[in-house]
Amino acid sequence: MCLAIPAEIVSVNEAADTAIVALGPVRKEISIALIENAKPGEFVLVHVGYALHKVSPDEAARTLAMMREAGLDAEFAEFGEAAR
C-alpha cells in the first residue's frame, strides 16, 4: 500500500529545494520541488521523501486521526526510521 502522511514544515532550504518536516517529535528532510512557495507552519502530504501538495491544518489533523483509528501507527514508525 502507498501512503502519504501529513507533516508540518519546520524549515525551508530554498537553494536546495528541500524542507524539514515534523510528524510529532520526528523530523525528516524532504524535497519540496513539486510544490510552490512552501513556508514553515504549512502542512504537506509526504510520500517517498517528496511533498506532494499542501493541506490545511484541519485536513492534516483529520487524516492523522483516521490513520491512527485504522491502526496505521506502524506507518508513522517507518517515517521515524527513515529520519534516523
Side-chain angles (χ1 to χ4, degrees), residues 6 43 56-66 68:
F43 286 81
S56 72
D58 289 339
E59 184 178 350
R62 283 193 311 270
T63 301
L64 289 170
M66 285 189 295
R68 283 188 193 97

Side-chain angles (χ1 to χ4, degrees), residues 5 28 73-83:
I5 300 173
K28 179 176 175 70
D73 293 285
E75 297 296 331
F76 300 146
E78 286 181 24
F79 186 90
E81 292 295 321

Side-chain angles (χ1 to χ4, degrees), residues 17-79:
D17 226 5
T18 61
I20 303 295
V21 295
L23 179 59
V26 177
R27 304 285 190 263
K28 179 176 175 70
E29 184 177 40
I30 63 164
S31 171
I32 54 172
L34 302 176
I35 62 172
E36 295 181 7
N37 302 319
K39 295 178 179 52
E42 293 181 321
F43 286 81
V44 292
L45 285 182
V46 179
H47 178 64
V48 294
Y50 288 85
L52 299 179
H53 63 87
K54 296 178 186 180
V55 295
S56 72
D58 289 339
E59 184 178 350
R62 283 193 311 270
T63 301
L64 289 170
M66 285 189 295
M67 291 170 70
R68 283 188 193 97
E69 288 175 17
L72 295 174
D73 293 285
E75 297 296 331
F76 300 146
E78 286 181 24
F79 186 90

